[in-house]
Amino acid sequence: MTDFNGLAPEFLQSVRGKRVLVRSDLNVPLDGTRITDDGRIRASVPTIKALADAGARVVVTAHLGRPKGEPDPAYSLAPVAARLGDLLGAPVAFAGDTVGASAQETVAALADGQVALLENVRFNPGETSKDDAERGAFADQLAALADAFVSDGFGVVHRKQASVYDVAQRLPHAMGGLVAAEVAVLRRLTVDPERPYVVVLGGSKVSDKLGVIDNLLGKADKLLIGGGMVFTFLKADGHEVGKSLLEEDQLDTVRAYRARAEELGVEIVLPTDIVVADSFGDQASARVVAADAIPADSLGLDIGPESGAAFAAALADARTVFWNGPMGVFEQPAFAEGTRAVAEALTKVDGLSVVGGGDSAAAVRTLGFDEAAFGHISTGGGASLEYLEGKELPGITVLED
Ligand code: ADP
Ligand code: MG
């Protein structure tokens, strides 16, 4: 039987003395070489530690940022290796390449229970190649470094990439504890959720999240809309949105969702007030206006206080909540209060509260909330959204064979 909060016990019992390649998601935000939020590293530790404690020679592979298929020092995982070592309480050997001489030497030098991290997997063009043969050739090189594979990078399981997908076809494999836990929570959001079920969506791009709206409209009781996507909704309702983010080509889709929501009896809640500014990030000019009276020369950067309170009220009796996307430009204090109001309301939910999305998870932490106050903070933005859209995730499906 699979233990859903960890690695399958029979797999763990088989790894002593074996080289186990672990695909983790260590894609953390960096300021130079300083890690500004180590949430993803911390989330990856339990699986790595479980394997090391079981006597495996653990070889971790991961990506950082979007380098262009060649080495780029700005995207080196070296700072991550150091932090991972701190969190594990044991040194992590760092290989200066992914599958080259340094990787081979580093892996060969591992003793049972030791951990190595390979340099950014996306320094290799084969990792993200759309060409199956090129990807496969790179996966062969990765697979040659190990005896077994553990897929634990939830943030990348929606990608058909060499270190996520192809390598699983080449080695005995297992689902990591983080991926298993994420999937178990997402299943609770889609199969028979406890009601009322409230979904809060925000962030910068409507088009990214339309599929989720589409799929969750039939499941949720209420949909609260904040962040940059608000303005496409307001515009669709006939209001002017000034210089705010607007996706003109999505107006018809948004109108169709409004109509379908009405048919299904799902309430879509839009903000009634907006914090606007004269230009992007101009905190000095921040002021609150009515949502249907955004001045032509301003742009909306957060939901207003009345809306924050209304969203909190809508969340108060929820038994299931999924939240993706900040309500405003939370990176700046003048535009962070809407996101704070929603985060605060989630901490009070009596039931399952799930935060999905890299920026949303970072917002919760940078605004100083205790992560333990939330039911689950997902490490994967795109992956959780695709799951909720009802799409098949190649990195999960491949593990089922
Ligand atoms: P997540 O990573 O949680 O899925 P997104 O990547 O979709 O979230 O969006 C996060 C970004 O959206 C943040 O950087 C935030 O500053 C931005 N954002 C939120 N509201 C607005 C807005 N009104 N205008 C412009 N950008 C916004
Ligand atoms: Mg994001």
Side-chain angles (χ1 to χ4, degrees):
M1 228 195 72
T2 312
D3 170 10
F4 253 110
N5 292 308
L7 276 157
E10 62 271 23
F11 182 84
L12 265 186
Q13 280 155 20
S14 73
V15 299
R16 180 165 302 280
K18 300 244 177 73
R19 299 166 303 162
V20 179
L21 182 72
V22 183
R23 176 54 157 112
S24 297
D25 176 9
L26 304 176
N27 188 24
V28 291
L30 285 182
D31 179 8
T33 58
R34 193 176 63 87
I35 297 165
T36 55
D37 176 30
D38 67 359
R40 285 180 166 162
I41 309 179
R42 280 185 287 123
S44 301
V45 163
T47 294
I48 295 170
K49 193 171 178 331
L51 289 165
D53 288 349
R57 303 172 180 202
V58 187
V59 182
V60 183
T61 182
H63 76 282
L64 183 72
R66 292 174 183 265
K68 303 207 162 10
E70 59 187 27
D72 179 344
Y75 296 108
S76 173
L77 279 169
V80 172
R83 178 67 60 90
L84 180 59
D86 291 345
L87 292 168
L88 282 167
V92 168
F94 183 63
D97 56 31
T98 317
V99 292
S102 176
Q104 288 163 23
E105 277 161 33
T106 306
V107 173
L110 286 177
D112 294 0
Q114 288 185 337
V115 178
L117 175 63
L118 307 176
E119 183 56 289
N120 196 336
V121 70
R122 290 194 188 164
F123 285 179
N124 308 271
E127 169 65 359
T128 57
S129 174
K130 296 276 177 264
D131 177 51
D132 290 350
E134 191 187 7
R135 236 182 28 249
F138 178 59
D140 285 341
Q141 290 180 290
L142 271 175
L145 292 171
D147 307 300
F149 174 66
V150 170
S151 176
D152 206 38
F154 181 69
V156 287
V157 289
H158 59 313
R159 305 280 187 212
K160 197 172 178 184
Q161 297 178 342
S163 69
V164 179
Y165 178 81
D166 305 80
V167 78
Q169 297 178 317
R170 288 162 168 78
L171 289 171
H173 51 254
M175 187 184 278
L178 177 61
V179 169
E182 295 268 13
V183 170
V185 169
L186 291 173
R187 195 169 287 147
R188 285 175 65 191
L189 293 178
T190 45
V191 183
D192 204 13
E194 245 196 283
R195 299 189 179 279
Y197 178 11
V198 182
V199 173
V200 191
L201 289 178
S204 46
K205 285 192 85 183
V206 192
S207 40
D208 278 2
K209 317 224 165 161
L210 284 177
V212 186
I213 298 181
D214 197 25
N215 203 35
L216 291 183
L217 261 187
K219 299 199 166 84
D221 300 302
K222 272 183 210 165
L223 189 53
L224 316 183
I225 306 283
M229 70 171 77
V230 158
F231 308 100
T232 306
F233 277 81
L234 288 174
K235 182 83 179 181
D237 282 359
H239 304 302
E240 283 315 316
V241 297
K243 298 185 286 179
S244 310
L245 268 189
L246 176 64
E247 292 186 54
E248 296 268 8
D249 55 340
Q250 304 294 346
L251 286 171
D252 286 339
T253 317
V254 164
R255 285 190 193 106
Y257 288 150
R258 299 283 274 167
R260 217 180 115 220
E262 200 151 323
E263 255 166 53
L264 293 165
V266 176
E267 193 186 344
I268 295 189
V269 185
L270 292 180
T272 51
D273 58 347
I274 299 288
V275 180
V276 299
D278 295 340
S279 59
F280 190 87
D282 176 13
Q283 298 194 69
S285 67
R287 59 200 186 274
V288 179
V289 301
D292 57 4
I294 297 176
D297 57 352
S298 70
L299 72 169
L301 294 174
D302 193 12
I303 62 170
E306 185 182 278
S307 310
F311 282 18
L315 287 163
D317 69 341
R319 301 284 300 179
T320 306
V321 179
F322 173 67
W323 170 32
N324 171 272
M327 296 294 100
V329 181
F330 72 94
E331 294 90 343
Q332 296 176 313
F335 314 113
E337 289 310 305
T339 303
R340 186 188 303 283
V342 164
E344 178 82 45
L346 252 77
T347 64
K348 295 182 183 145
V349 166
D350 178 14
L352 176 66
S353 59
V354 180
V355 182
D359 291 292
S360 309
V364 160
R365 288 188 284 264
T366 55
L367 294 176
F369 287 94
D370 177 5
E371 287 176 68
F374 299 86
H376 180 74
I377 300 184
S378 177
T379 51
S384 51
L385 290 179
E386 289 199 12
Y387 185 98
L388 294 176
E389 281 172 43
K391 286 191 189 155
E392 194 173 280
L393 307 180
I396 303 273
T397 316
V398 73
L399 301 176
E400 282 153 11
D401 317 327

